[in-house]
Amino acid sequence: MATFLYRLGRFSFRKRHVVALFWVALLALAGAGAAGAPAAGNSSFSIPGTEAQKAFDLLDERFPGASADGATARVVFKAPDGQKMTDPGNKAAVQDTVDELSGGTEVAQVTDPYQGGGVSQDGTIAYSSVTYKVPGMELEESSREALQAAAEDARDSGLTVEIGGDALQAIPETGSAEIIGIGIAAVVLVITLGSLLAAGLPLLTAIVGVGIGVATITALASTLDLGSTTSILASMIGLAVGIDYALFVVSRYRAELAEGREREEAAGRAVGTAGSAVVFAGLTVVIALVGLSVVNIPMLTKMGVAAAGTVAVAVLIALTLIPAVLGYAGRRVRPAGEKSKLLGGGRAKDKADRPNMGTRWASFVVRRPLAVLLLGIVGLGAAAVPAGSLELGLPDDGSQPTSTTQRRAYDLLSDGFGPGFNGPLVVVVDAQGSDDPQAVFQQAGDEIKALDNVVNVAPAAPNKAGDTATIAVIPDAKPSSVATEDLVHDIRAVGADIKDGTGAEVLVTGATAMNIDVSQKLNDALVPYLVLVVGLAFLLLIVVFRSILVPLKAALGFLLSVLAALGAVVAVYQWGWLSGLMGVEETGPIMSMMPIFMVGVVFGLAMDYEVFLVTRIREAHVHGEKPSQAVVTGFRYSARVVTAAAVIMIAVFSGFIGSSDSMVKMIGFGLAIAVLFDAFVVRMAIVPAVLALLGAKAWWLPKWLDRALPNVDVEGESLAAHDGAAGKDDEDKELVRA
């Protein structure tokens, strides 16, 4: 592989015009497709194989035209102090609002608070439910404007009016913090590479890669039903790995120049060595992201595949566009150790022989490996303690900032009707095979009323055929509470008894039940997913490092860092530690997708640093150095770059903490803290400590396995004898044949 990538690097350097034109054309094509495509909405949320989804599908079948997946809005009214919503003036204002909303072309139904039990017991709060014919993200802007205008007209009468539901749902925004993250990345690149031009190359190529990936996702969003968060997460991961991969290739290029090689030869060797590490690091990220499909939640699968595609583009750009751009830069990209005049270049090097920070740190770890190892493990273990209190759920309007009308509507409904009113359960009774469907409907309603934690059970509402009915159940507790989850299980237990006695099927659905089923499905899938992803990556790392213990150590280190990161997420978003600093206005359960998504992404990123760092150590060992000295040598050449890459990735992920979407905000924080733990504690401390303790045993591999494994030559050992004098025409022919 190293030889092929070496030739690819030289080819891209020499044929830079062709390579650059290809990537620019691809970016333009993707951009044109995105410009002409419909805007991305929220991906249709389905969870095959769950009771909630089965009930939802049954509603679509037995209640045609009911717009089960249509957008909803709850217009909540509160009377002025000292007044009631039943006062004639307030009642007239509400009636005017209902009439105004009923005229919308996309409106399916509007309820009258005074006819449907929509007034609180104390008479101060009322609500009207609006059901639309199309999903929230497909609503025309005119429908949203009409909804807001009707609410504003009611406010003019003196009422407090707020709007909940998904009808006003907007595409999430990441805010200006993302730009700050990119700015921090630029500063780190300038410090690391010592040149404004060299620092600009990774940023430029990463932006091109993310642009292609995100534009492609946008172009296909409507066709493939990709949600708006898909492109945000793809850009988050693509930007981070794109900068990192380019940084490693550019850094190796400058190191090769420092050894006196010509620029084309240096580009070839940089791609042949650092590029090999990029390929395998990218493969681990792709495996982890594509592996999310084992959960069998379509939305999660699409997010993973889309992000994996963006990572694949970042790898290809690092292997081809980076050497091409280096060809354009020419002598303006200086050898390692030299700085541009703007940054202090040309001054006397009075400290040329002084060991760098990476060398000094590695030497310290090699002298005190056991102490460093224990300190790292204990520190991560302490950070992981909150993970034992992890509670999972999905965000609702109650997790929105208090500045939003959705959150204020949520709070008003909780005050007027109880916290469970924001998470009603929909019980679907399928009595098609029963002799007396009406008796079954009555029995189901009576038995549900007798359960604990039930505030209200509405009368059964049968369909036209009379064989299926829906029963609305209002819990006593808020949607994300353990008590509500217990109630869902209790209703399902009642349903099982009814089925045994009558043959009728009782199913529970609704947003709250759907969230509970998602959490359970994700919990059930976590262990199989870990086995699949870690197992495949373990085999891949055995091929890369030709060792058993090094991949094992990498996997165990990852588990430490991901548990510590989950602990930090629980401490901030569930317990409320530093919540003000992180912009968390409402603590609560952790998003149910967070653990498995973090496992997938963090594993891939953790293996990035493992591959980049340890391949340099193995390269020194393969070239004859003793194990402890190889650790120091590896850190001398790679610690600075790995540190810079980690800081860049943390800065990029942290930028998404400013997102308006609670899911994106939480994922941004989780990934940033996970990279912090993994890069600076696991890879920079625990890894060298373990390698120092193991010595030569770290590279042990059974002889039979050594013979069976392919030699991928990540360290570029085959390039040592390459004289770089092959003719250009011959190399082009070899590249075509390869």
Side-chain angles (χ1 to χ4, degrees):
M1 172 178 280
T3 302
F4 169 76
L5 292 178
Y6 165 80
R7 293 168 181 161
L8 179 62
R10 294 195 64 174
F11 173 85
S12 299
F13 185 95
R14 191 167 58 253
K15 303 292 184 181
R16 61 185 74 99
H17 302 310
V18 175
V19 174
L21 183 62
F22 168 80
W23 285 109
V24 170
L26 193 59
L27 178 61
L29 183 63
N42 272 8
S43 176
S44 56
F45 192 79
S46 63
I47 41 175
T50 62
E51 180 175 314
Q53 186 64 45
K54 183 179 179 182
F56 189 82
D57 295 339
L58 186 65
L59 285 174
D60 272 348
E61 177 188 341
R62 304 285 175 84
F63 292 82
S67 302
D69 62 343
T72 59
R74 273 179 170 173
V75 183
V76 187
F77 308 89
K78 182 180 180 182
D81 292 341
Q83 298 183 24
K84 303 284 187 182
M85 288 305 304
T86 51
D87 293 346
N90 294 334
K91 191 172 182 179
V94 171
Q95 190 60 58
D96 289 343
T97 303
V98 170
D99 293 341
E100 185 177 349
L101 290 171
S102 300
T105 57
E106 293 183 314
V107 174
Q109 183 182 14
V110 181
T111 64
D112 187 331
Y114 303 100
Q115 296 179 3
V119 181
S120 63
Q121 287 186 352
D122 63 4
T124 60
I125 296 173
Y127 75 93
S128 172
S129 294
V130 185
T131 305
Y132 292 87
K133 300 173 184 177
V134 296
M137 297 306 293
E138 295 179 15
L139 275 178
E140 294 182 1
E141 192 60 33
S142 59
S143 295
R144 291 194 179 90
E145 291 174 355
L147 177 62
Q148 292 172 318
E152 193 59 41
D153 290 342
R155 290 188 187 104
D156 291 341
S157 68
L159 297 174
T160 298
V161 185
E162 305 295 346
I163 305 172
D166 62 352
L168 294 183
Q169 200 168 37
I171 295 175
E173 299 176 354
T174 55
S176 59
E178 181 184 357
I179 305 301
I180 296 174
I182 296 176
I184 294 173
V187 172
V188 173
L189 286 170
V190 170
I191 295 173
T192 304
L193 298 177
S195 165
L196 292 175
L197 179 63
L201 299 184
L203 281 176
L204 172 65
T205 54
I207 291 172
V208 169
V210 169
I212 292 172
V214 172
T216 302
I217 291 170
T218 304
L220 299 175
S222 179
T223 304
L224 301 181
D225 191 25
L226 302 177
S228 55
T229 54
T230 302
S231 59
I232 293 178
L233 295 173
S235 67
M236 178 193 301
I237 296 169
L239 187 62
V241 300
I243 294 174
D244 279 6
Y245 294 166
L247 171 61
F248 281 105
V249 174
V250 172
S251 297
R252 188 60 184 253
Y253 171 76
R254 296 179 69 234
E256 297 294 336
L257 289 179
E259 293 182 10
R261 292 190 172 88
E262 294 295 328
R263 295 187 177 274
E264 183 178 327
E265 177 70 9
R269 287 180 177 269
V271 175
T273 52
S276 296
V278 165
V279 168
F280 282 98
L283 272 176
T284 60
V285 180
V286 169
I287 288 172
L289 291 171
V290 174
L292 291 170
S293 58
V294 303
V295 183
N296 196 26
I297 295 180
M299 185 182 76
L300 193 59
T301 299
K302 292 170 186 175
M303 287 166 56
V305 172
T310 308
V311 171
V313 171
V315 171
L316 293 175
I317 282 181
L319 300 178
T320 57
L321 186 57
I322 280 291
V325 175
L326 288 172
Y328 284 116
R331 298 186 180 278
R332 284 169 289 185
V333 175
R334 299 171 181 271
E338 291 187 18
K339 297 182 179 180
S340 65
K341 292 182 179 179
L342 182 63
L343 298 174
R347 297 175 185 172
K349 297 181 180 180
D350 55 345
K351 299 181 180 180
D353 297 329
R354 181 182 176 183
N356 62 19
M357 182 64 74
T359 302
R360 296 198 297 274
W361 170 250
S363 299
F364 169 78
V365 174
V366 167
R367 290 195 305 270
R368 302 283 189 274
L370 189 58
V372 172
L373 177 62
L374 291 177
L375 185 61
I377 292 175
V378 170
L380 290 178
V385 168
S389 303
L390 178 67
E391 295 178 10
L392 298 178
L394 285 178
D396 55 22
D397 283 349
S399 61
Q400 296 265 20
T402 53
S403 58
T404 63
T405 185
Q406 292 95 329
R407 171 61 185 278
R408 292 196 293 264
Y410 180 98
D411 292 340
L412 284 175
L413 287 172
S414 295
D415 294 341
F417 301 91
F421 196 79
N422 284 293
L425 304 175
V426 180
V427 178
V428 184
V429 184
D430 180 7
Q432 196 172 55
S434 174
D435 296 332
D436 189 355
Q438 190 61 44
V440 173
F441 301 155
Q442 186 64 42
Q443 179 187 354
D446 291 343
E447 293 196 25
I448 292 172
K449 282 181 183 177
L451 295 174
D452 294 334
N453 197 34
V454 173
V455 171
N456 184 53
V457 178
N463 62 350
K464 290 183 179 180
D467 58 5
T468 307
T470 60
I471 301 174
V473 180
I474 305 299
D476 184 46
K478 64 181 183 179
S480 58
S481 67
V482 176
T484 300
E485 181 177 351
D486 291 340
L487 176 60
V488 170
H489 295 314
D490 291 343
I491 295 175
R492 287 173 175 170
V494 166
D497 294 338
I498 292 175
K499 185 174 183 180
D500 292 340
T502 66
E505 193 167 17
V506 178
L507 306 171
V508 186
T509 188
T512 301
M514 193 81 78
N515 291 352
I516 292 170
D517 286 353
V518 167
S519 298
Q520 186 60 50
K521 193 175 182 70
L522 289 166
N523 283 338
D524 294 342
L526 185 57
V527 173
Y529 175 70
L530 268 173
V531 171
L532 173 69
V533 172
V534 177
L536 287 175
F538 181 75
L539 295 176
L540 184 66
L541 292 178
I542 289 177
V543 174
V544 173
F545 295 130
R546 308 193 74 80
S547 164
I548 298 292
L549 296 179
V550 171
L552 180 62
K553 172 262 309 169
L556 293 176
F558 151 74
L559 291 176
L560 274 175
S561 58
V562 79
L563 284 174
L566 277 175
V569 170
V570 169
V572 173
Y573 289 89
Q574 188 175 309
W575 291 1
W577 294 5
L578 301 178
S579 56
L581 182 63
M582 297 298 168
V584 181
E585 296 192 24
E586 183 72 20
T587 59
I590 302 305
M591 183 186 63
S592 53
M593 292 184 185
M594 188 68 188
I596 200 163
F597 191 83
M598 182 180 286
V599 164
V601 177
V602 173
F603 182 78
L605 300 179
M607 294 307 102
D608 276 5
Y609 300 118
E610 181 74 15
V611 170
F612 289 132
L613 188 62
V614 179
T615 48
R616 264 296 198 171
I617 296 174
R618 176 170 167 75
E619 182 177 346
H621 180 65
V622 166
H623 292 157
E625 293 189 8
K626 294 181 179 180
S628 58
Q629 184 57 41
V631 171
V632 176
T633 300
F635 268 70
R636 179 168 71 247
Y637 289 114
S638 60
R640 178 184 176 90
V641 180
V642 168
T643 300
V647 172
I648 288 169
M649 198 168 281
I650 291 168
V652 171
F653 287 150
S654 297
F656 288 85
I657 297 175
S659 172
S660 62
D661 186 275
S662 58
M663 181 173 72
V664 176
K665 180 192 294 283
M666 190 181 295
I667 288 176
F669 172 78
L671 294 183
I673 199 71
V675 170
L676 176 68
F677 288 148
D678 194 86
F680 292 104
V681 181
V682 175
R683 308 304 153 188
M684 302 298 288
I686 293 178
V687 166
V690 171
L691 290 178
L693 289 171
L694 291 176
K697 295 177 182 177
W699 310 106
W700 172 79
L701 187 69
K703 292 183 179 180
W704 64 268
L705 185 56
D706 188 35
R707 290 192 297 268
L709 291 177
N711 183 12
V712 295
D713 189 23
V714 177
E715 300 83 12
E717 189 178 1
S718 61
L719 301 181
H722 203 289
D723 58 8
K728 294 180 181 179
D729 293 338
D730 292 340
E731 286 186 3
D732 292 346
K733 292 177 182 178
E734 289 173 355
L735 179 61
V736 172
R737 286 200 300 271

